[in-house]
Amino acid sequence: MLFLTQCFGAVLDLIHLRFQHYKAKRVFSAAGQLVCVVNPTHSLKYAPARCAAAQASTEQGILPACHHHEAVHDPQLVPCTCPLFSCPWEGHLEVVVAHLRQTHRINILQGAEIVFLATDMHLPAPTDWIIMHSCLGHQFLLVLRKQEKYEGHPQFFATMMLIGTPTQANNFTYRLELNRNQRRLKWEATPRSILECVDSVISDGDCLVLNTSLAQLFSDNGSLAIGIAITTSKVHSSEAEM
């Protein structure tokens, strides 16, 4: 009986997953778009001092180093960039993607355009939905966060971070699109570097911001589908042509 119960539960999970994919494809009719169903995770946020140190180092044009007990560290080492955990890991920027995939099990999708389907939007804040997007030879981190900027008034913040330097980030443009019930909402901006800290981007409001009522207009039974597209910036393209 226990075996049959577990098998039945697995079948229900598979049916639910396929239904979530169907809903996303119904909302975004463009052929060939990849759909990633992302479950929510309650985040253990960065310590403020850590974000402040990362931001200060980035502004000075150097990679941030995390100092513990006044120890001397290689200035080329960066702390873990995953916004979900207070992770003590440090490493070179080139191996950040491998760390995120192997240690934090963050999914990665490849393609010029994908659909990010966040489930269980009704859960209390703070909650994060995260995937990696591989496109144009680079990796990007999409973060959707439900957070209370004001007590009792949760909001949704969506941003795209390049796993690279600020100079590299300036070469790209990302677009987030919500489309449901004959309503369409787009956000287009230059991605920020992962070195600048996700918390700082959200605090600055330099991202797609939705209040609860607006999020409900675009959600479908507690799930929010966000179309994602990344292109090279016009300045970068013109320089390449020259």
Side-chain angles (χ1 to χ4, degrees):
M1 289 295 294
L2 179 61
F3 175 76
L4 291 176
T5 301
Q6 291 177 339
C7 288
F8 183 68
V11 171
L12 287 179
D13 290 341
L14 180 60
I15 293 174
H16 176 71
L17 183 63
R18 292 182 64 86
F19 178 66
Q20 296 286 1
H21 275 79
Y22 168 76
K23 289 196 301 181
K25 290 181 179 179
R26 186 183 62 189
V27 174
F28 290 85
S29 58
Q33 285 186 312
L34 298 174
V35 179
C36 183
V37 178
V38 186
N39 295 319
T41 305
H42 288 282
S43 61
L44 300 174
K45 300 181 69 174
Y46 275 70
R50 186 175 185 179
C51 273
Q55 180 69 25
S57 299
T58 303
E59 291 175 353
Q60 295 172 6
I62 61 177
L63 297 179
C66 185
H67 300 279
H68 300 285
H69 307 293
E70 299 182 355
V72 177
H73 289 263
D74 184 345
Q76 296 302 312
L77 295 180
V78 299
C80 175
T81 55
C82 182
L84 289 174
F85 306 98
S86 296
C87 177
W89 179 88
E90 288 182 324
H92 291 277
L93 191 60
E94 295 79 14
V95 295
V96 168
V97 173
H99 169 74
L100 293 176
R101 295 197 67 183
Q102 296 170 9
T103 302
H104 301 303
R105 306 296 182 186
I106 296 179
N107 294 327
I108 185 168
L109 286 184
Q110 297 184 359
E113 296 186 8
I114 64 174
V115 176
F116 177 96
L117 184 64
T119 66
D120 301 322
M121 303 293 294
H122 61 278
L123 290 178
T127 304
D128 284 347
W129 295 259
I130 296 179
I131 62 166
M132 282 192 291
H133 183 189
S134 179
C135 182
L136 300 175
H138 289 77
Q139 284 72 42
F140 301 82
L141 193 69
L142 177 70
V143 179
L144 173 65
R145 174 171 296 172
K146 185 177 183 179
Q147 180 174 310
E148 289 188 357
K149 261 204 155 181
Y150 307 100
E151 186 175 355
H153 298 280
Q155 293 177 300
F156 293 90
F157 304 86
T159 186
M160 183 72 77
M161 311 286 289
L162 172 72
I163 302 178
T165 65
T167 301
Q168 292 174 321
N170 287 333
N171 293 328
F172 299 96
T173 299
Y174 75 95
R175 184 181 75 247
L176 305 179
E177 180 178 336
L178 301 162
N179 188 350
R180 184 172 182 268
N181 291 339
Q182 299 182 341
R183 297 181 179 89
R184 178 173 295 180
L185 179 64
K186 290 184 180 181
W187 167 268
E188 188 171 289
T190 300
R192 301 279 285 271
S193 166
I194 198 70
L195 302 178
E196 299 181 56
C197 189
V198 174
D199 287 346
S200 298
V201 175
I202 291 177
S203 298
D204 294 341
D206 186 16
C207 56
L208 174 63
V209 182
L210 304 172
N211 58 32
T212 303
S213 59
L214 189 57
Q216 289 176 348
L217 284 177
F218 289 98
S219 65
D220 184 9
N221 292 326
S223 297
L224 187 68
I226 303 177
I228 307 168
I230 301 175
T231 58
T232 55
S233 63
K234 295 180 179 179
V235 174
H236 180 67
S237 299
S238 61
E239 289 176 353
E241 292 174 358
M242 293 175 64

